[in-house]
């Protein structure tokens, strides 16, 4: 677990990760509080995908990045830092880039269809931990994390 570079607001992008060769996450809809989008950008190719959690395509994902992908990149930069996001996606940061910002305009790629279900499922799994009562006993699926934060011999 890597601590965030800066604290971020979770209302717009409640879940994001650098996983499966993509920057991917869940982004809230700006128009409907009950709708979320699963958005992703592939490392290397920068192919992009954005659809609702039940696979309806995003209307704003035409020839460029939709507002959901822009929000995902912005929050990933807050969470992981511009350098780490750029390294993961395979984007070179230039010397004249503002420190701490990510050059999203350098992401080419094309629109592709990526499965939303695995990402949305991981998001729901993370939400389930919020419903758990506070306990000091070990949680079986998290048994590999030491209770004190120190590695055990």
């Amino acid at each position: 677990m890597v601590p965030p570079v800066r604290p971020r607001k979770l209302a717009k992008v409640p879940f994001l990760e650098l996983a499966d060769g993509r920057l991917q996450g869940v982004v809230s809809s700006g128009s409907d509080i009950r709708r979320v989008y699963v958005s992703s950008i592939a490392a290397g190719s920068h192919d992009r995908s954005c659809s609702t959690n039940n696979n309806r395509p995003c209307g704003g994902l035409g020839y460029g990045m939709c507002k959901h992908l822009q929000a995902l990149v912005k929050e990933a930069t807050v969470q992981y830092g511009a350098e780490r996001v750029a390294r993961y996606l395979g984007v070179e940061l230039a010397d004249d880039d503002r420190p701490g910002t990510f050059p999203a305009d350098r992401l080419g790629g094309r629109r592709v269809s990526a499965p939303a279900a695995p990402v949305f499922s991981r998001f729901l799994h993370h939400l389930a931990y919020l419903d758990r009562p506070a306990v000091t006993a070990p949680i079986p699926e998290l048994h590999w994390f030491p209770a004190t934060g120190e590695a055990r011999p």
Side-chain angles (χ1 to χ4, degrees), residues 91-109:
V91 175
E92 293 290 324
L93 293 177
D95 292 336
D96 60 343
D97 286 333
R98 286 191 349 230
T101 62
F102 181 83
D105 59 337
R106 290 194 212 135
L107 295 175

PDB file of all heavy atoms in Angstrom, residues 91-109:
ATOM      1  N   VAL A  91       4.304   7.400 -20.528  1.00  0.00           N
ATOM      2  CA  VAL A  91       4.324   8.760 -21.061  1.00  0.00           C
ATOM      3  C   VAL A  91       5.559   9.457 -20.518  1.00  0.00           C
ATOM      4  O   VAL A  91       5.862   9.372 -19.328  1.00  0.00           O
ATOM      5  CB  VAL A  91       3.060   9.547 -20.627  1.00  0.00           C
ATOM      6  CG1 VAL A  91       3.138  10.992 -21.088  1.00  0.00           C
ATOM      7  CG2 VAL A  91       1.818   8.885 -21.164  1.00  0.00           C
ATOM      8  N   GLU A  92       6.283  10.126 -21.403  1.00  0.00           N
ATOM      9  CA  GLU A  92       7.461  10.881 -20.989  1.00  0.00           C
ATOM     10  C   GLU A  92       7.035  12.255 -20.481  1.00  0.00           C
ATOM     11  O   GLU A  92       6.287  12.969 -21.149  1.00  0.00           O
ATOM     12  CB  GLU A  92       8.430  11.055 -22.161  1.00  0.00           C
ATOM     13  CG  GLU A  92       9.069   9.770 -22.622  1.00  0.00           C
ATOM     14  CD  GLU A  92      10.054   9.223 -21.607  1.00  0.00           C
ATOM     15  OE1 GLU A  92      10.746  10.018 -20.943  1.00  0.00           O
ATOM     16  OE2 GLU A  92      10.118   7.988 -21.476  1.00  0.00           O
ATOM     17  N   LEU A  93       7.495  12.601 -19.285  1.00  0.00           N
ATOM     18  CA  LEU A  93       7.256  13.948 -18.782  1.00  0.00           C
ATOM     19  C   LEU A  93       8.355  14.850 -19.324  1.00  0.00           C
ATOM     20  O   LEU A  93       9.539  14.490 -19.299  1.00  0.00           O
ATOM     21  CB  LEU A  93       7.266  13.959 -17.250  1.00  0.00           C
ATOM     22  CG  LEU A  93       6.122  13.221 -16.563  1.00  0.00           C
ATOM     23  CD1 LEU A  93       6.301  13.260 -15.059  1.00  0.00           C
ATOM     24  CD2 LEU A  93       4.788  13.820 -16.946  1.00  0.00           C
ATOM     25  N   ALA A  94       7.977  16.004 -19.828  1.00  0.00           N
ATOM     26  CA  ALA A  94       8.943  16.958 -20.365  1.00  0.00           C
ATOM     27  C   ALA A  94       9.430  17.891 -19.263  1.00  0.00           C
ATOM     28  O   ALA A  94       8.759  18.069 -18.251  1.00  0.00           O
ATOM     29  CB  ALA A  94       8.297  17.754 -21.497  1.00  0.00           C
ATOM     30  N   ASP A  95      10.584  18.477 -19.485  1.00  0.00           N
ATOM     31  CA  ASP A  95      11.148  19.405 -18.508  1.00  0.00           C
ATOM     32  C   ASP A  95      10.269  20.634 -18.305  1.00  0.00           C
ATOM     33  O   ASP A  95      10.265  21.221 -17.229  1.00  0.00           O
ATOM     34  CB  ASP A  95      12.550  19.860 -18.943  1.00  0.00           C
ATOM     35  CG  ASP A  95      13.552  18.721 -18.883  1.00  0.00           C
ATOM     36  OD1 ASP A  95      13.319  17.760 -18.118  1.00  0.00           O
ATOM     37  OD2 ASP A  95      14.564  18.787 -19.607  1.00  0.00           O
ATOM     38  N   ASP A  96       9.505  21.012 -19.339  1.00  0.00           N
ATOM     39  CA  ASP A  96       8.670  22.210 -19.219  1.00  0.00           C
ATOM     40  C   ASP A  96       7.268  21.915 -18.689  1.00  0.00           C
ATOM     41  O   ASP A  96       6.453  22.820 -18.577  1.00  0.00           O
ATOM     42  CB  ASP A  96       8.593  22.956 -20.553  1.00  0.00           C
ATOM     43  CG  ASP A  96       7.998  22.109 -21.660  1.00  0.00           C
ATOM     44  OD1 ASP A  96       7.928  20.874 -21.509  1.00  0.00           O
ATOM     45  OD2 ASP A  96       7.611  22.686 -22.693  1.00  0.00           O
ATOM     46  N   ASP A  97       6.972  20.653 -18.337  1.00  0.00           N
ATOM     47  CA  ASP A  97       5.685  20.335 -17.707  1.00  0.00           C
ATOM     48  C   ASP A  97       5.651  20.933 -16.312  1.00  0.00           C
ATOM     49  O   ASP A  97       6.668  20.948 -15.611  1.00  0.00           O
ATOM     50  CB  ASP A  97       5.479  18.814 -17.596  1.00  0.00           C
ATOM     51  CG  ASP A  97       5.167  18.162 -18.919  1.00  0.00           C
ATOM     52  OD1 ASP A  97       4.615  18.853 -19.796  1.00  0.00           O
ATOM     53  OD2 ASP A  97       5.477  16.972 -19.070  1.00  0.00           O
ATOM     54  N   ARG A  98       4.475  21.415 -15.926  1.00  0.00           N
ATOM     55  CA  ARG A  98       4.332  21.938 -14.566  1.00  0.00           C
ATOM     56  C   ARG A  98       4.537  20.791 -13.583  1.00  0.00           C
ATOM     57  O   ARG A  98       4.001  19.697 -13.777  1.00  0.00           O
ATOM     58  CB  ARG A  98       2.946  22.551 -14.365  1.00  0.00           C
ATOM     59  CG  ARG A  98       2.776  23.871 -15.056  1.00  0.00           C
ATOM     60  CD  ARG A  98       1.509  24.605 -14.651  1.00  0.00           C
ATOM     61  NE  ARG A  98       0.574  23.821 -13.889  1.00  0.00           N
ATOM     62  CZ  ARG A  98      -0.714  23.715 -14.156  1.00  0.00           C
ATOM     63  NH1 ARG A  98      -1.228  24.345 -15.182  1.00  0.00           N
ATOM     64  NH2 ARG A  98      -1.514  22.998 -13.403  1.00  0.00           N
ATOM     65  N   PRO A  99       5.308  21.016 -12.527  1.00  0.00           N
ATOM     66  CA  PRO A  99       5.522  19.947 -11.547  1.00  0.00           C
ATOM     67  C   PRO A  99       4.201  19.476 -10.945  1.00  0.00           C
ATOM     68  O   PRO A  99       3.324  20.272 -10.642  1.00  0.00           O
ATOM     69  CB  PRO A  99       6.399  20.611 -10.472  1.00  0.00           C
ATOM     70  CG  PRO A  99       7.035  21.765 -11.162  1.00  0.00           C
ATOM     71  CD  PRO A  99       6.058  22.220 -12.206  1.00  0.00           C
ATOM     72  N   GLY A 100       4.062  18.160 -10.829  1.00  0.00           N
ATOM     73  CA  GLY A 100       2.875  17.588 -10.222  1.00  0.00           C
ATOM     74  C   GLY A 100       1.682  17.469 -11.139  1.00  0.00           C
ATOM     75  O   GLY A 100       0.617  17.067 -10.721  1.00  0.00           O
ATOM     76  N   THR A 101       1.833  17.823 -12.413  1.00  0.00           N
ATOM     77  CA  THR A 101       0.724  17.695 -13.356  1.00  0.00           C
ATOM     78  C   THR A 101       1.038  16.603 -14.358  1.00  0.00           C
ATOM     79  O   THR A 101       2.190  16.301 -14.637  1.00  0.00           O
ATOM     80  CB  THR A 101       0.445  19.009 -14.100  1.00  0.00           C
ATOM     81  OG1 THR A 101       1.603  19.361 -14.863  1.00  0.00           O
ATOM     82  CG2 THR A 101       0.079  20.123 -13.142  1.00  0.00           C
ATOM     83  N   PHE A 102       0.000  16.041 -14.915  1.00  0.00           N
ATOM     84  CA  PHE A 102       0.142  14.964 -15.882  1.00  0.00           C
ATOM     85  C   PHE A 102      -0.305  15.459 -17.249  1.00  0.00           C
ATOM     86  O   PHE A 102      -1.387  16.032 -17.367  1.00  0.00           O
ATOM     87  CB  PHE A 102      -0.696  13.756 -15.449  1.00  0.00           C
ATOM     88  CG  PHE A 102      -0.570  12.597 -16.377  1.00  0.00           C
ATOM     89  CD1 PHE A 102       0.505  11.732 -16.259  1.00  0.00           C
ATOM     90  CD2 PHE A 102      -1.498  12.378 -17.372  1.00  0.00           C
ATOM     91  CE1 PHE A 102       0.638  10.664 -17.132  1.00  0.00           C
ATOM     92  CE2 PHE A 102      -1.373  11.313 -18.239  1.00  0.00           C
ATOM     93  CZ  PHE A 102      -0.298  10.456 -18.116  1.00  0.00           C
ATOM     94  N   PRO A 103       0.494  15.228 -18.283  1.00  0.00           N
ATOM     95  CA  PRO A 103       0.158  15.730 -19.625  1.00  0.00           C
ATOM     96  C   PRO A 103      -0.864  14.839 -20.334  1.00  0.00           C
ATOM     97  O   PRO A 103      -0.534  14.087 -21.244  1.00  0.00           O
ATOM     98  CB  PRO A 103       1.506  15.709 -20.337  1.00  0.00           C
ATOM     99  CG  PRO A 103       2.236  14.569 -19.690  1.00  0.00           C
ATOM    100  CD  PRO A 103       1.798  14.577 -18.252  1.00  0.00           C
ATOM    101  N   ALA A 104      -2.110  14.921 -19.930  1.00  0.00           N
ATOM    102  CA  ALA A 104      -3.158  14.067 -20.503  1.00  0.00           C
ATOM    103  C   ALA A 104      -3.334  14.308 -22.000  1.00  0.00           C
ATOM    104  O   ALA A 104      -3.772  13.407 -22.715  1.00  0.00           O
ATOM    105  CB  ALA A 104      -4.477  14.292 -19.774  1.00  0.00           C
ATOM    106  N   ASP A 105      -2.957  15.481 -22.481  1.00  0.00           N
ATOM    107  CA  ASP A 105      -3.098  15.760 -23.912  1.00  0.00           C
ATOM    108  C   ASP A 105      -2.127  14.942 -24.757  1.00  0.00           C
ATOM    109  O   ASP A 105      -2.275  14.857 -25.962  1.00  0.00           O
ATOM    110  CB  ASP A 105      -2.930  17.258 -24.182  1.00  0.00           C
ATOM    111  CG  ASP A 105      -1.586  17.803 -23.737  1.00  0.00           C
ATOM    112  OD1 ASP A 105      -0.949  17.194 -22.855  1.00  0.00           O
ATOM    113  OD2 ASP A 105      -1.169  18.844 -24.267  1.00  0.00           O
ATOM    114  N   ARG A 106      -1.145  14.294 -24.142  1.00  0.00           N
ATOM    115  CA  ARG A 106      -0.201  13.450 -24.872  1.00  0.00           C
ATOM    116  C   ARG A 106      -0.670  12.006 -24.979  1.00  0.00           C
ATOM    117  O   ARG A 106       0.022  11.169 -25.542  1.00  0.00           O
ATOM    118  CB  ARG A 106       1.168  13.482 -24.198  1.00  0.00           C
ATOM    119  CG  ARG A 106       1.835  14.809 -24.351  1.00  0.00           C
ATOM    120  CD  ARG A 106       3.287  14.739 -23.991  1.00  0.00           C
ATOM    121  NE  ARG A 106       3.642  16.038 -23.443  1.00  0.00           N
ATOM    122  CZ  ARG A 106       4.359  16.225 -22.367  1.00  0.00           C
ATOM    123  NH1 ARG A 106       4.840  15.209 -21.716  1.00  0.00           N
ATOM    124  NH2 ARG A 106       4.620  17.425 -21.939  1.00  0.00           N
ATOM    125  N   LEU A 107      -1.824  11.721 -24.423  1.00  0.00           N
ATOM    126  CA  LEU A 107      -2.359  10.367 -24.506  1.00  0.00           C
ATOM    127  C   LEU A 107      -3.104  10.218 -25.823  1.00  0.00           C
ATOM    128  O   LEU A 107      -4.128  10.852 -26.035  1.00  0.00           O
ATOM    129  CB  LEU A 107      -3.304  10.080 -23.330  1.00  0.00           C
ATOM    130  CG  LEU A 107      -2.672  10.067 -21.954  1.00  0.00           C
ATOM    131  CD1 LEU A 107      -3.737   9.907 -20.883  1.00  0.00           C
ATOM    132  CD2 LEU A 107      -1.648   8.949 -21.847  1.00  0.00           C
ATOM    133  N   GLY A 108      -2.574   9.413 -26.697  1.00  0.00           N
ATOM    134  CA  GLY A 108      -3.236   9.161 -27.978  1.00  0.00           C
ATOM    135  C   GLY A 108      -4.256   8.062 -27.793  1.00  0.00           C
ATOM    136  O   GLY A 108      -5.212   8.201 -27.048  1.00  0.00           O
ATOM    137  N   GLY A 109      -4.000   6.961 -28.408  1.00  0.00           N
ATOM    138  CA  GLY A 109      -4.870   5.809 -28.254  1.00  0.00           C
ATOM    139  C   GLY A 109      -6.173   5.956 -29.005  1.00  0.00           C
ATOM    140  O   GLY A 109      -6.464   6.971 -29.620  1.00  0.00           O
TER     141      GLY A 109
END
